[in-house]
Amino acid sequence: MRCVIARFPFELDQAGVLEAMRGVEPEEVTGESVVIGRRTYPVKQVGQVVTRQDRRDFTAREVVLAMTKLGFTCGRGPAAQRGRV
């Protein structure tokens, strides 16, 4: 599936994302997250691994839209649900 992230087109599929994330340890989720396999990753980490771009170059929303279209479950992390303290 063709996805545009940070104004660049990418041909992504579910198997490719699973392969790219294999062996990658998830960082702590503090905002938006995506479930890949049995692990929950921050969307920015997934976007960086899959696109090989710097995290500052794309938004979490772009990655959430792409991952949702590919069939992955996206959501908000525990800290993001509570809001700021």
Side-chain angles (χ1 to χ4, degrees), residues 2-85:
R2 184 174 187 265
C3 301
V4 177
I5 299 175
R7 299 183 314 267
F8 291 99
F10 294 93
E11 284 295 330
L12 301 176
D13 61 14
Q14 196 172 38
V17 173
L18 287 167
E19 180 64 31
M21 297 306 294
R22 181 178 295 152
V24 177
E25 288 294 319
E27 298 171 0
E28 181 182 352
V29 176
T30 58
E32 298 286 335
S33 64
V34 59
V35 178
I36 299 175
R38 289 178 280 169
R39 294 181 173 191
T40 302
Y41 294 90
V43 293
K44 288 284 206 164
Q45 181 182 11
V46 174
Q48 180 181 23
V49 171
V50 171
T51 66
R52 296 184 181 100
Q53 292 183 332
D54 189 280
R55 295 179 190 197
R56 296 172 291 181
D57 294 339
F58 54 86
T59 65
R61 179 168 169 76
E62 291 174 306
V63 179
V64 167
L65 289 173
M67 295 299 115
T68 302
K69 287 181 183 179
L70 291 173
F72 293 104
T73 302
C74 297
R76 299 182 68 76
Q81 289 176 348
R82 286 192 303 251
R84 289 195 156 172
V85 177

